[in-house]
Amino acid sequence: MKILDEYLKQNEKSAEKFREASKFLPSGNTRSALYWPPYPIYLEKGRSNIVYDIDGNKRIDFNYNNTSLIHGHNHPDVMRAAQAQLRKGTVLGTPTEPEVALAEELTKRLEKADLIRFTPSGTEANMQAIRLARAYTGKPNIAKCVGAYHGSWDAVPLTPGTPGIPSKVEECTIYFPYNNAGEAERLIKLHRDSLAAVIIEPTMRDMTPKPSFLKTVREATESSDVPLIFDEVISFRLSYGGAQRYFGVLPDITTMGKIIGGGFPVGAYATSEEIFEPMKIPEKNLPEVGSPRLGFSGTFNAHPVSMAAGLAAMKMLPQTKYDDLEKIGNQIREGLRKVISEENVIAQVGGVGSLFHLTWANIEVNDHASSQTADRALYHIFNLGMMNKGVFILGHPNVSTAQSLSDVELIVESARETVREMKPLIKERAHHLIN
Ligand code: PMP
């Protein structure tokens, strides 16, 4: 196949590195999402909107470490802030000033959050948010959308029956379909006495919520007295106040990650003073020292370099920047839709704001079940074809403030050429996707 042959030709050093990596790392790597057949490319450096690999290929980035670099690679202001902090040491061992400044910057963007705590990742933000909700309500169970990713850990598997998770733990997780307001409402009301929280990614895997869905979940959780958590690890890039502000639905607890660390490891969870009560450390006079009901620690929590870089990144994001990102997102979505229709193939172009994607399915993809109808092989081949043409897309394609108009033209024209190259394959394995 032409696309595969070209990929092998362009990426010989990456092939060699992957063979070496497979001796030391399971499947050659550390993040399942970063493996793709025949082997991933090895990136060496990034500058602004461009990534460079070890074979010397240069590609326009539409991945940005899975949505985390909202200003692109090595933005001078973010780098300056990180380097200035690094000159003071790596990690210091007490609370630091940048932590306080980023806490202020983020809580002022969230209407229902008085306070915030930082973690080294989005996964840990969700872990702590759920533990806090359990401590606050005194109830054991959580409800989540089937297929939703909230990090790689036990309370939130993508789907029931995940290996390695004891059935006793699984019993505490209740699933409902994304975008099905009626079913969500029914389950929340049915389980209200056992539910410590409902956790939702407002734009689950970059799908757009139906107008009534978030609102219904909000009303059902509110009337059932169940805290609602929005996992905004990705969707916080939708507006100055995240997806909650974009869609006008406010959760009780917000978790964040990715962009708020300016490219360094980070996570955070924010909520009201009332919900944070279990973590409140009682103030005592020496020699007595107070202990909270629920402790929370982590050697690298609120890492000063992440805090300083994150603050610099967030300070450069007034609402107008999100509007600009959305305009680019719209141009890309429109361009891809045009290609799909003009090339007489069937695929779904989706995403919202700065997030976009192309899914090889012949029905609208708006929940886990419909996403499962997509042809995954075509998805991979499309990505390889795009990489061959100097476009790096993967996972959750997205744009940064470093993107230019010519990038939009490049991605749309590369998609056209790639779709043309893929036509024989589409005819062969997915006739239902030919118009
Ligand atoms: N929640 C969502 C919605 C995510 O997309 C991710 C990561 N892709 C996480 C949580 C976990 O974040 P991290 O990878 O920083 O642990």
Side-chain angles (χ1 to χ4, degrees), residues 66 120-124 126 149-152 201 231 233-234 257-258 266 396:
N66 217 353
S121 69
T123 299
E124 286 155 279
N126 285 329
Y149 185 71
H150 299 294
S152 299
E201 180 180 21
D231 174 345
V233 169
I234 286 184
K258 312 244 193 216
V266 80
H396 306 265

